[in-house]
């Protein structure tokens, strides 16, 4: 006995409800991150944290404020990091660099705790993922000229031109 196919109206209603639930779930993560970063921008704490990581961010070819969404992605979800990025002003190239780093090293707390249960060298895995992510961000900057105006990347970009 075959199940009767659902009507297009039922399928549409079901799809809209699933989409709405997903939208609300994403809002629950992204909006608090956006608000938190917007509020932190008004305090001296954020400036101090940004200055502490400025040399590393310059090496990657990103502004120091890029550390904020990266830390959110490393410790939490990509969606929270996207919310944090929305309250900061980045160029499309910087957003691409940040996204590459975040895709390689994200949600480390959860993933490394699972890895630790497997009795692996979770510290090395975590260090490798963060290093690989930051290295890929730097590769985009130095080899492909992403964000070439930051931290002397003009030379790397000029070397790729004919």
């Amino acid at each position: 006995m075959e199940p009767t196919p659902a009507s297009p109206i039922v399928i549409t209603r079901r799809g809209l409800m699933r989409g709405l639930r997903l939208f609300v779930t994403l809002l629950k993560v992204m909006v608090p991150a956006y608000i938190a970063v917007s509020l932190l921008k008004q305090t001296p704490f954020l400036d101090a944290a940004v200055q502490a990581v400025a040399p590393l961010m310059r090496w990657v070819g990103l502004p120091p404020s890029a550390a904020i969404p990266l830390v959110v992605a490393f410790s939490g979800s990509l969606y929270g990091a996207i919310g944090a990025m929305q309250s900061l002003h980045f160029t499309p190239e910087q957003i691409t660099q940040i996204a590459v780093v975040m895709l390689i090293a994200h949600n480390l707390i959860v993933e490394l705790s699972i890895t630790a249960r497997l009795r692996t060298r979770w510290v090395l895995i975590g260090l490798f993922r963060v290093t690989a992510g930051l290295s890929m961000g730097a590769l985009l900057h130095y080899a492909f000229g992403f964000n070439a105006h930051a931290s002397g990347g003009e030379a790397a970009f000029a070397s790729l031109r004919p």
Side-chain angles (χ1 to χ4, degrees):
M1 183 173 213
E2 292 183 25
T4 53
S7 71
I9 293 173
V10 170
I11 293 170
T12 302
R13 186 179 301 138
R14 191 179 306 149
L16 286 173
M17 290 307 295
R18 285 182 180 172
L20 182 62
R21 280 193 292 269
L22 177 62
F23 177 73
V24 169
T25 300
L26 291 176
L27 279 179
K28 288 178 185 178
V29 175
M30 293 175 72
V31 170
Y34 178 87
I35 291 170
V37 172
S38 294
L39 291 174
L40 281 174
K41 281 181 7 183
Q42 308 302 320
T43 67
F45 171 76
L46 190 59
D47 289 333
V50 163
Q51 293 309 315
V53 296
L56 178 62
M57 291 295 104
R58 268 195 293 278
W59 176 75
V60 177
L62 290 169
S65 60
I68 297 163
L70 291 178
V71 168
V72 172
F74 293 167
S75 60
S77 71
L78 291 173
Y79 300 112
I82 292 168
M85 284 174 52
Q86 293 298 317
S87 65
L88 303 167
H89 301 287
F90 296 117
T91 65
E93 293 88 2
Q94 292 167 340
I95 291 171
T96 303
Q97 280 181 275
I98 294 167
V100 167
V101 175
M102 289 188 321
L103 286 172
I104 295 172
H106 64 277
N107 206 8
L108 293 174
I109 294 173
V110 172
E111 292 181 9
L112 291 179
S113 65
I114 293 169
T115 307
R117 288 182 165 216
L118 298 174
R119 296 188 179 108
T120 61
R121 296 180 182 175
W122 60 272
V123 173
L124 292 177
I125 292 170
L127 287 172
F128 174 77
R129 286 182 60 190
V130 170
T131 304
L134 292 173
S135 297
M136 285 303 295
L139 180 68
L140 287 173
H141 173 63
Y142 291 108
F144 298 110
F146 272 57
N147 200 22
H149 60 278
S151 70
E154 296 88 1
F157 186 65
S159 68
L160 294 174
R161 292 187 180 145

